[in-house]
Amino acid sequence: MSNLPAFHIVIPARFASQRFPQKMLANLAGKPVVQWVYELALKAGAESVTIATDHEDIFNAAEEFGADVVMTRTDHENGTERLAEVATIKGWSGDEIVVNVQGDEPLLPIGLIHNAVQALADDKESEMATVACPIHREEDIFNPSVVKVVCDAKGRALYFSRATMPWDRDGFAQTPKQIAEDYPALRHVGLYVYRVSLLGRYAQMPMSPLEKWEKLEQLRFLHQGIKVQVALTKELPPHGVDTPEDLEALTKKLSVQ
């Protein structure tokens, strides 16, 4: 995308993980998971790519494979807080754009990053952007693990929820758990793009009641009246590394490419 605005990529790489401890350093087809993500991010054409970690083992490994890596505090609650610290360390200005690329997404499509960056750049009133794709399977509509988003006429998020939304009042009353062909369901894809000025204010934002109940961090922004632009993609991106089983599946996939 020749007209893509300048942007930075930060890869939060936390050492602890409840479901898969130390997964960032797990061997994936000969390289640590986080190295795959870093090398993928380098291809996106960003002004800079930085790994942000809270543990010296990841720091040392990242230095070994030549990454720009920053040691951040250990008390951050989430990746957004870690991004904010990196932006401060780097001295980025408030109008610069930063992409949060999860350290466990080695097959994240670069086009998805570009679409989200462009969506934020094109909407001067929004301070962050994310991604959504259509939901095609009925079981996903009613699955609380699949986060949904509804948008306004300008493509901005109205609400994120684990609940089924929008609710087809008449249709579901007649045939529960059967969706119509034109049902406008969107699945939220957890890629976030921020203006640095928003990151600087994030630490002062209290957890919202909506976030508390839904367990969705992005609701903190909506609760504060922050506009979130949603870039649309046709398909769900490949699954990341959440469990040892995911690692095994990806190792097989990469070994045959």
Side-chain angles (χ1 to χ4, degrees):
M1 300 177 70
S2 57
N3 296 324
L4 197 69
F7 63 98
H8 302 280
I9 291 177
V10 176
I11 305 169
R14 192 168 63 96
F15 188 75
S17 174
Q18 290 183 340
R19 286 188 289 180
F20 190 179
Q22 304 179 35
K23 67 179 177 181
M24 296 295 173
L25 297 180
N27 188 326
L28 175 60
K31 293 185 287 190
V33 169
V34 70
Q35 183 175 351
W36 282 95
V37 178
Y38 181 77
E39 292 174 355
L40 176 148
L42 288 177
K43 299 174 184 177
E47 294 285 298
S48 68
V49 179
T50 305
I51 294 175
T53 188
D54 61 353
H55 199 280
E56 62 179 13
D57 286 357
I58 296 177
F59 185 93
N60 293 336
E63 280 200 325
E64 279 188 26
F65 60 75
D68 176 13
V69 56
V70 171
M71 182 70 80
T72 56
R73 302 200 317 266
T74 60
D75 60 345
H76 290 311
E77 292 185 3
N78 50 54
T80 307
E81 291 184 1
R82 210 171 299 282
L83 256 69
E85 184 181 357
V86 172
T88 299
I89 291 171
K90 295 288 188 178
W92 293 331
S93 62
D95 60 349
E96 291 190 80
I97 293 175
V98 183
V99 183
N100 180 346
V101 172
Q102 298 296 329
D104 57 3
E105 298 282 353
L107 298 181
L108 182 71
I110 290 173
L112 213 62
I113 297 173
H114 291 170
N115 289 347
V117 168
Q118 193 67 60
L120 181 58
D122 290 344
D123 185 354
K124 303 305 180 184
E125 294 182 17
S126 290
E127 294 185 82
M128 61 181 289
T130 189
V131 180
C133 66
I135 301 178
H136 300 293
R137 301 193 310 170
E138 291 178 5
E139 56 265 37
D140 290 341
I141 295 290
F142 302 94
N143 183 352
S145 295
V146 175
V147 178
K148 296 88 179 172
V149 58
V150 290
C151 302
D152 67 12
K154 294 183 178 180
R156 296 171 184 157
L158 288 169
Y159 192 63
F160 298 90
S161 182
R162 298 182 182 279
T164 302
M165 65 176 198
W167 186 260
D168 182 0
R169 188 196 66 171
D170 296 338
F172 291 159
Q174 296 174 19
T175 52
K177 296 197 174 183
Q178 183 172 329
I179 59 174
E181 289 185 8
D182 59 347
Y183 180 71
L186 291 175
R187 176 177 187 149
H188 180 227
V189 178
L191 175 71
Y192 294 103
V193 181
Y194 305 92
R195 299 192 195 278
V196 169
S197 56
L198 175 59
L199 289 175
R201 306 197 316 270
Y202 177 77
Q204 283 71 49
M205 294 180 190
M207 178 183 290
S208 76
L210 301 172
E211 177 188 2
K212 173 186 174 183
W213 292 107
E214 294 259 18
K215 297 297 186 288
L216 296 175
E217 177 194 344
Q218 59 270 36
L219 291 175
R220 186 179 308 190
F221 297 103
L222 292 187
H223 187 76
Q224 295 292 329
I226 291 161
K227 295 179 174 64
V228 181
Q229 182 59 238
V230 179
L232 299 180
T233 185
K234 293 181 179 179
E235 297 179 354
L236 187 68
H239 193 63
V241 180
D242 289 332
T243 66
E245 291 75 22
D246 292 336
L247 182 71
E248 184 179 351
L250 274 177
T251 298
K252 291 178 180 178
K253 184 173 183 176
L254 291 170
S255 64
V256 298
Q257 288 184 350

